[in-house]
């Protein structure tokens, strides 16, 4: 068996062994390596020339050198270059192995760092959500322990509604009629003039995004589905989300006033009581809840439907609520006593999708899954008119404050305007193909109409001219409302943000 030098991989002329690594070397090469590095080339331990041990082997028979020996210096130079090449090649192999080990270690560290960053991002999102929903809010008055006496309640804080219908008594009908008479007279006075405080067309065209608030609802279940503004306190905004909560937010202080938790499914409709610190919400969990905002507690729990509640509207008296459901019924309930006054079945085979009271409160509109818009007489509890023309389920309906116009939308990328005096469609706003309309809203003067869906659009009524388009949301817009005198516009979206538009 022949020996092989660990540096040159050649048979050594003068083999020697290193006591540090036990490797065989050509003495000439190892001596040069020791002079330069003072260590064993295999394991890097300190090594001196004196420590090398010669190995006795039979002499190697080599061919005779060429006869041209007249240039010994040239041969010596070539030998030295060969030795240097072998040393350099060995050093390169060692450096390559070290670089591979360092790269592998760096890759493992990078992978571990990515895992840590992902975990920290998740913890930060959870912390922000907890902060937005649980932290005490500055500037909020102390929570009142007792609920408002005008809302029905029990010792447990929630009044449950009897299943049987109490009926539309003469007293209730007279109350509805008296309120309608007052509202009609007020509307005739208002209809002659436009409020001086109302934002002009030119100013509305100059509306910009003033604020965006993404922290009102959970980040783990994104999406805000419903929106309303407090008529008596324009700084308070109410939202309902996919996270099963409703949130009361103060846009001026940018603080959460209350988080209302109780529904077992997403909150799809929300209403601010115009005169009291009360909120009404509904959900596909087939319940309607009346909340006392200062205590964030449910005061009244209405269960008048057998299926998901799809529409919700508060009567102008502030004492009754209208609801529709996929169970093909609409219901009229008293939020003071908790009684179900009446529940009427739609004769169609399809569920109801939306509901809205006329400004007078004596009639209301409902939308159905089979594209129908129906007008009902509340006192007679009868269907008095039907509007056909849409294709697809009705997604939103809204009465103008002037009492003459009804705007409706469905899954057909258009908004239809109906004249309630002539019972016909007099205008259709055709939107882009694939445009989804999720909400409609007239301002309180009936001058502007806003559409929420693929984007936010504002139209001038009567001329039905498009005034402004907002494209700030990164997902489908689900709600839009005008502030008082259209001084600002609020919108919500599936991107979990509440956005406010106005003049800077």
């Amino acid at each position: 068996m022949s020996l092989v030098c660990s540096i040159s991989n050649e048979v050594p002329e003068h083999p020697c062994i290193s006591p540090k690594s036990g490797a065989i070397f050509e003495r000439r090469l190892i001596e040069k390596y020791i002079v330069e590095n003072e260590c064993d080339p295999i394991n890097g331990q300190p090594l001196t020339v004196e420590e090398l041990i010669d190995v006795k082997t039979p002499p190697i028979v080599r061919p005779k050198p060429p006869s041209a020996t007249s240039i010994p210096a040239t041969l010596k130079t070539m030998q030295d270059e060969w030795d240097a090449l072998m040393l350099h090649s060995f050093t390169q192999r060692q450096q390559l192995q070290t670089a591979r080990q360092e790269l592998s270690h760096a890759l493992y560290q990078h992978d571990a760092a990515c895992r840590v960053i992902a975990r920290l991002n998740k913890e930060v999102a959870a912390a922000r959500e907890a902060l937005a929903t649980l932290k005490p809010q500055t500037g909020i008055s102390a929570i009142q322990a007792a609920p408002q006496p005008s809302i029905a309640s029990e010792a447990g804080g929630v009044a449950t509604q009897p299943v049987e219908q109490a009926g539309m008594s003469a007293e209730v009908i007279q109350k509805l009629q008296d309120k309608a008479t007052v509202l009609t007279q007020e509307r005739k006075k208002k209809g002659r003039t436009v409020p001086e405080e109302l934002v002009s067309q030119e100013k509305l065209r100059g509306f910009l995004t003033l604020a965006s608030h993404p922290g009102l609802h959970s980040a783990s279940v994104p999406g805000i589905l419903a929106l309303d503004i407090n008529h008596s306190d324009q700084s308070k905004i109410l939202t309902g989300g996919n996270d099963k909560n409703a949130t009361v937010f103060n846009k001026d202080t940018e603080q959460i006033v209350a988080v209302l938790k109780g529904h077992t499914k997403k909150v799809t409709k929300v209403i601010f009581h115009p005169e009291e610190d009360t909120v009404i919400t509904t959900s596909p969990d087939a319940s309607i809840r009346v909340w006392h905002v200062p205590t964030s507690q449910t005061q009244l729990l209405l269960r008048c439907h057998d299926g998901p509640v799809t529409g919700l509207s508060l009567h102008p008296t502030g004492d009754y609520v209208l609801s529709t459901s996929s169970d093909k019924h609409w219901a009229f309930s008293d939020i003071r006593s908790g009684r179900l006054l009446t529940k009427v079945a739609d004769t169609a085979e399809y569920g109801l999708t939306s509901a809205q009271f006329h400004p007078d409160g004596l009639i209301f509109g409902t939308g159905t899954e089979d594209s129908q818009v129906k007008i009902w007489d509340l006192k007679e509890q009868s269907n008095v008119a039907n509007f056909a023309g849409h294709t697809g389920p009705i997604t939103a309906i809204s009465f103008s404050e002037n009492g003459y116009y009804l705007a409706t939308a469905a899954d057909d990328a258009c908004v239809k305007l109906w004249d309630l005096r002539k019972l016909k469609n007099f205008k259709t706003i055709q939107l882009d193909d694939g445009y989804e309309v999720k909400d409609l809203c007239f301002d309180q003067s009936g001058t502007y109409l806003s559409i929420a869906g693929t984007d936010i659009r504002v139209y001038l009524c009567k001329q039905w001219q498009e005034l402004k388009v907002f494209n700030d949301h990164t997902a489908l817009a689900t709600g839009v409302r005008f502030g008082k005198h259209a001084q600002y516009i609020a919108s919500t979206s599936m991107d979990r943000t509440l956005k406010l538009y106005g003049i800077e």
Side-chain angles (χ1 to χ4, degrees), residues 22 188 212 277 328 397 456:
K188 289 180 179 179
S212 180
D277 213 354
K328 308 173 187 176
I397 61 177
I456 304 293

Side-chain angles (χ1 to χ4, degrees), residues 116-132 215 219-220 496:
V116 170
I117 292 171
R119 188 183 74 251
L120 291 177
N121 284 336
K122 185 176 180 180
E123 291 176 356
V124 167
R128 285 177 176 170
E129 175 185 341
L131 182 64
S220 59
R496 203 172 59 90

Side-chain angles (χ1 to χ4, degrees), residues 94 115 130 145 150 159 172 180 206 240 253 289 315 334 344 373 395 402-403 423 441 497:
Q94 280 190 320
R115 293 175 183 272
S150 59
V172 172
T253 62
R289 288 177 180 263
H315 192 269
D334 188 335
V344 178
V373 178
T395 57
N402 64 17
L423 299 181
C441 178
T497 61

Side-chain angles (χ1 to χ4, degrees), residues 148 151 271-273 276-280 290-293 299:
Q148 293 175 326
I151 301 293
I271 297 176
F272 240 130
H273 197 285
E276 302 169 6
D277 213 354
T278 301
V279 161
I280 307 170
V290 180
W291 306 81
H292 184 228
V293 174
Q299 291 184 306

Side-chain angles (χ1 to χ4, degrees), residues 439-480:
D439 197 18
L440 297 170
C441 178
F442 286 95
D443 77 297
Q444 291 176 319
S445 69
T447 305
Y448 303 117
L449 170 67
S450 184
I451 299 172
T454 306
D455 52 30
I456 304 293
R457 301 190 181 191
V458 181
Y459 289 83
L460 177 65
C461 297
K462 296 185 179 179
Q463 289 81 15
W464 309 111
Q465 173 188 358
E466 183 181 288
L467 297 179
K468 186 68 177 180
V469 178
F470 302 100
N471 293 300
D472 292 25
H473 285 296
T474 58
L476 192 66
T478 55
V480 62

Side-chain angles (χ1 to χ4, degrees), residues 259-270:
V259 177
L260 311 177
K261 298 183 178 182
H263 284 292
T264 58
K265 293 184 179 180
K266 59 188 178 181
V267 178
T268 53
K269 302 292 180 183
V270 295

Side-chain angles (χ1 to χ4, degrees), residues 172-372:
V172 172
I173 293 177
Q174 186 61 45
K175 188 176 181 179
L176 300 178
Q177 184 62 58
D178 292 344
K179 186 66 175 179
T181 301
V182 173
L183 292 175
T184 302
Q185 293 174 352
E186 291 179 354
R187 184 176 302 105
K188 289 180 179 179
K189 294 178 182 178
K190 294 179 181 178
R192 298 188 183 98
T193 59
V194 176
E196 295 180 1
E197 300 88 347
L198 183 68
V199 168
S200 65
Q201 303 175 34
E202 292 72 20
K203 288 185 177 180
L204 199 148
R205 285 193 178 97
F207 271 22
L208 302 173
T209 303
L210 301 181
S212 180
H213 302 284
L216 305 186
H217 290 271
S218 172
S220 59
V221 188
I224 301 178
L225 305 176
L227 169 68
D228 199 19
I229 296 176
N230 191 328
H231 291 290
S232 58
D233 184 355
Q234 291 285 302
S235 65
K236 291 183 179 179
I237 298 175
L238 174 64
T239 60
N242 253 333
D243 59 357
K244 308 175 187 177
N245 299 333
T247 301
V248 180
F249 178 73
N250 190 313
K251 72 177 184 66
D252 294 341
T253 62
E254 298 189 346
Q255 298 293 329
I256 292 176
V257 176
V259 177
L260 311 177
K261 298 183 178 182
H263 284 292
T264 58
K265 293 184 179 180
K266 59 188 178 181
V267 178
T268 53
K269 302 292 180 183
V270 295
I271 297 176
F272 240 130
H273 197 285
E275 300 170 355
E276 302 169 6
D277 213 354
T278 301
V279 161
I280 307 170
T281 63
T282 191
S283 164
D285 63 8
S287 71
I288 300 169
R289 288 177 180 263
V290 180
W291 306 81
H292 184 228
V293 174
T295 59
S296 300
Q297 296 297 316
T298 300
Q299 291 184 306
L300 191 68
L301 179 60
L302 304 175
R303 294 191 179 277
C304 46
H305 291 286
D306 299 325
V309 182
T310 57
L312 192 67
S313 183
L314 184 66
H315 192 269
T317 59
D319 297 332
Y320 309 101
V321 67
L322 169 72
S323 58
T324 56
S325 170
S326 58
D327 65 3
K328 308 173 187 176
H329 288 76
W330 61 263
F332 186 65
S333 306
D334 188 335
I335 64 172
R336 306 299 179 183
S337 64
R339 294 180 301 168
L340 170 61
L341 299 182
T342 185
K343 183 177 179 180
V344 178
D346 194 319
T347 56
E349 298 181 359
Y350 299 89
L352 303 179
T353 60
S354 54
Q356 183 69 43
F357 269 118
H358 185 272
D360 289 341
L362 292 182
I363 64 172
F364 62 89
T366 62
T368 68
E369 294 177 351
D370 64 336
S371 318
Q372 295 291 316

Side-chain angles (χ1 to χ4, degrees), residues 82-141:
W82 171 259
D83 294 343
L85 178 62
M86 290 297 102
L87 291 173
H88 179 71
S89 176
F90 179 76
T91 303
Q92 290 289 85
R93 289 201 303 270
Q94 280 190 320
Q95 292 176 349
L96 177 61
Q97 182 63 23
T98 301
R100 285 177 175 173
Q101 292 177 348
E102 291 176 352
L103 178 60
S104 175
H105 183 65
L107 290 175
Y108 279 119
Q109 285 184 324
H110 178 267
D111 182 66
C114 290
R115 293 175 183 272
V116 170
I117 292 171
R119 188 183 74 251
L120 291 177
N121 284 336
K122 185 176 180 180
E123 291 176 356
V124 167
R128 285 177 176 170
E129 175 185 341
L131 182 64
T133 56
L134 299 179
K135 70 178 181 179
Q137 303 301 326
T138 58
I140 302 175
S141 59

